Amino acid sequence: MMAAAAAARVRAGTRRGPALWQMPWLPLVAVAVVAAASAAEQQVPLVLWSSDRNLWAPAANTHEGHITSDRQLSTYLDPALELGPRNVLLFLQDKLSVEDFTAYGGVFGNKQDSAFSNLENALDLAPSSLVLPAVDWYAVSTLTTYLQEKLGASPLHVDLATLRELKLNASLPALLLIRLPYTASSGLMAPKEVLTANDEVIGQVLSTLKSEEVPYTAALTAVRPSRVARDVAMVAGGLGRQLLQRPSASAATHPPVSYNDTAPRILFWAQNFSVAYGGRWEDLTSLTFGVQDLNLTGSFWNDSVAWLALTYDQLFGTMVTFKFILANRFYQVSARHWFTLERLEIHSNGSIASFNASQVTGPSIYSFHCEYVNSHNKNGDLLVPSTQPSLWQLTFQDFQIQAFNVTGERFSYASDCAGFFSPGIWMGLLTSLFMLFIFTYGLHMILGLKTMDRFDDHKGPTIALTQIV
């Protein structure tokens, strides 16, 4: 009977993803997570299903360790948004990882204890579904904006009560955002209980839409993973030692600062943003990146000039504004536009501290990236204070900025500050030249050897060699 049903689905042309407990990649979660951990970015799963048929072909290249990029994700979403229902549900959880499906999804035979029974049932009954085990964090962070642009509808935060009052229309686009919490085991509820409660919310929402006979496309994903693999070495060897070690803190990943007028115009990002005044350092990373209400008052953009102003109300006891001033010029020698960070200004208490940053430059179609941008000589200074000595000091780690030709909220190809010849390359070249010199000298000595043209004959007189004094 099951074989006949499967054959019927094939004859109908239906492409359906497997249920969560049937996914072939779940038994290999450890391999997938460890391979993904070698990348610097975080990944979260993404589950898609729809009430329409034939929206997705089976996902290609979803082998263990494969991470779906933003471009690959758009190739999966575009057909569904263009051909599928115009009502899109986005179930967004605070934290979710593939391991949650393994631990609480009943994949080891205990399906009756699954925390995802409604989700599994929805995938099993959906005419079209797609499961992506690992999606790049950046792609997920811009998913809401991407759906909003594609549908032409602003996201509407809803709950069950609001959803029952809504009158959805199949012809009018709607983007419904439903937030689902996640609580760690140290909280008031265990993770399985929270996941079960979230699954109940998904079931009730889908039941409401089914009762109203509204076609829809749904997606379940998370803002960040709930579990992060620590090190690839945990599989390569030394597991006993790894288990006794304390877990290291994972590197924080945050979205770039984006200045928008009618579209994203200026992007700025750094792994670490620190500033010092009078020898006292403050870390502004958490106050700058991923902050919804960051004060960008004073920012400006046109085709030739761009200002990015970051204002902090209480920094060193006063209001401080950091202003990045960039210029875009056309150079006939290269026949292209180049941008330059003219200077970085710090405004505080009516005074201005200026730093020359003209070495931060590149073609306008690119962004600029540098491992370290700072105002002191520890790692090479790209910020030169206009007055010496300066009370202000700045340090950016993994600095990246782009103010022209920005497409969406992602950087273009980076023009890096690193030179073409690194110290390692120079050492290799010098060592190779030295070895080549030794080889040449030895070859010259060998070619200079001459064979003897006189030999001693034991039957004749002895060869007499005159000693030259």
Side-chain angles (χ1 to χ4, degrees):
M1 182 178 298
M2 294 179 61
R9 288 195 295 267
V10 172
R11 287 193 297 271
T14 303
R15 291 189 178 97
R16 297 171 47 195
L20 291 177
W21 57 276
Q22 293 175 326
M23 296 175 193
W25 43 266
L26 280 176
L28 301 173
V29 165
V31 177
V33 173
V34 169
S38 60
E41 302 174 353
Q42 298 177 350
Q43 304 88 38
V44 292
L46 178 63
V47 183
L48 299 163
W49 69 98
S50 178
S51 58
D52 275 16
R53 296 179 179 273
N54 302 331
L55 293 185
W56 297 289
N61 299 324
T62 54
H63 51 78
E64 290 77 17
H66 174 76
I67 302 172
T68 303
S69 64
D70 51 348
R71 290 189 178 183
Q72 291 173 328
L73 182 59
S74 64
T75 61
Y76 295 135
L77 293 177
D78 286 346
L81 298 177
E82 295 172 1
L83 305 176
R86 304 294 290 169
N87 294 309
V88 177
L89 302 176
L90 179 57
F91 296 96
L92 190 60
Q93 194 157 288
D94 290 339
K95 294 187 293 183
L96 185 65
S97 292
V98 176
E99 295 94 332
D100 292 323
F101 295 120
T102 306
Y104 311 114
V107 297
F108 299 111
N110 54 339
K111 185 183 176 184
Q112 65 278 4
D113 297 330
S114 174
F116 305 97
S117 57
N118 289 297
L119 180 59
E120 293 173 4
N121 185 58
L123 290 176
D124 189 50
L125 298 178
S128 300
S129 63
L130 179 67
V131 177
L132 302 175
V135 179
D136 177 59
W137 167 86
Y138 179 81
V140 174
S141 66
T142 59
L143 181 57
T144 304
T145 305
Y146 174 83
L147 294 175
Q148 180 178 350
E149 293 178 354
K150 284 292 183 179
L151 295 173
S154 299
L156 180 61
H157 296 259
V158 298
D159 52 19
L160 288 176
T162 309
L163 183 63
R164 294 188 180 98
E165 297 176 358
L166 287 177
K167 299 299 181 182
L168 298 178
N169 192 325
S171 60
L172 297 178
L175 176 57
L176 306 182
L177 181 60
I178 303 167
R179 297 299 299 262
L180 303 174
Y182 184 99
T183 303
S185 57
S186 59
L188 298 178
M189 298 177 64
K192 183 177 181 180
E193 297 177 1
V194 178
L195 293 172
T196 303
N198 292 344
D199 185 70
E200 290 295 332
V201 173
I202 295 175
Q204 294 176 18
V205 170
L206 298 180
S207 177
T208 301
L209 294 179
K210 184 178 180 180
S211 63
E212 298 179 358
E213 297 183 352
V214 176
Y216 68 90
T217 297
L220 170 64
T221 187
V223 178
R224 59 186 184 276
S226 59
R227 312 178 189 198
V228 179
R230 293 176 309 181
D231 201 335
V232 180
M234 61 184 292
V235 171
L239 273 177
R241 184 176 179 83
Q242 289 282 342
L243 291 174
L244 295 177
Q245 290 179 345
R246 296 181 62 183
S248 58
S250 58
T253 307
H254 36 253
V257 173
S258 175
Y259 169 68
N260 308 306
D261 46 20
T262 57
R265 300 299 187 185
I266 307 175
L267 298 178
F268 163 59
W269 188 86
Q271 182 67 36
N272 180 270
F273 175 21
S274 299
V275 60
Y277 180 75
R280 177 188 168 192
W281 284 92
E282 290 286 346
D283 188 354
L284 302 182
T285 308
S286 60
L287 301 177
T288 305
F289 305 101
V291 179
Q292 297 292 335
D293 55 350
L294 180 63
N295 189 350
L296 300 179
T297 303
S299 299
F300 171 78
W301 181 91
N302 61 30
D303 291 334
S304 57
V305 178
W307 300 344
L308 177 63
L310 310 177
T311 301
Y312 304 87
D313 294 333
Q314 293 298 326
L315 181 60
F316 304 114
T318 185
M319 178 181 290
V320 180
T321 299
F322 299 87
K323 182 177 289 188
F324 300 81
I325 301 177
L326 301 101
N328 185 28
R329 300 183 180 91
F330 180 78
Y331 292 88
Q332 294 183 354
V333 175
S334 60
R336 70 193 314 178
H337 285 83
W338 286 67
F339 77 90
T340 303
L341 179 57
E342 298 285 338
R343 62 187 181 275
L344 172 58
E345 296 180 349
I346 304 178
H347 299 250
S348 65
N349 292 328
S351 64
I352 301 176
S354 180
F355 294 83
N356 181 13
S358 57
Q359 296 186 57
V360 179
T361 183
S364 296
I365 60 175
Y366 296 157
S367 62
F368 176 86
H369 173 267
C370 196
E371 184 68 21
Y372 290 100
V373 174
N374 49 52
S375 58
H376 47 86
N377 296 322
K378 182 178 180 181
N379 295 295
D381 50 348
L382 294 180
L383 300 177
V384 181
S386 57
T387 58
Q388 294 284 358
S390 176
L391 295 176
W392 292 91
Q393 288 186 342
L394 292 162
T395 294
F396 301 93
Q397 181 181 355
D398 250 359
F399 175 88
Q400 191 166 5
I401 193 169
Q402 184 178 359
F404 305 97
N405 298 293
V406 175
T407 303
E409 293 190 354
R410 55 189 176 197
F411 289 100
S412 300
Y413 177 84
S415 174
D416 205 280
C417 67
F420 182 78
F421 289 101
S422 65
I425 294 177
W426 278 115
M427 291 182 64
L429 288 175
L430 291 177
T431 303
S432 300
L433 290 175
F434 181 70
M435 297 298 293
L436 180 61
F437 170 76
I438 295 177
F439 172 77
T440 304
Y441 179 77
L443 183 61
H444 174 73
M445 296 298 292
I446 293 174
L447 294 177
L449 292 176
K450 296 182 179 179
T451 59
M452 295 179 60
D453 56 354
R454 300 181 64 187
F455 300 93
D456 191 10
D457 187 1
H458 65 278
K459 296 182 179 180
T462 305
I463 297 176
L465 300 177
T466 305
Q467 183 177 3
I468 301 176
V469 179

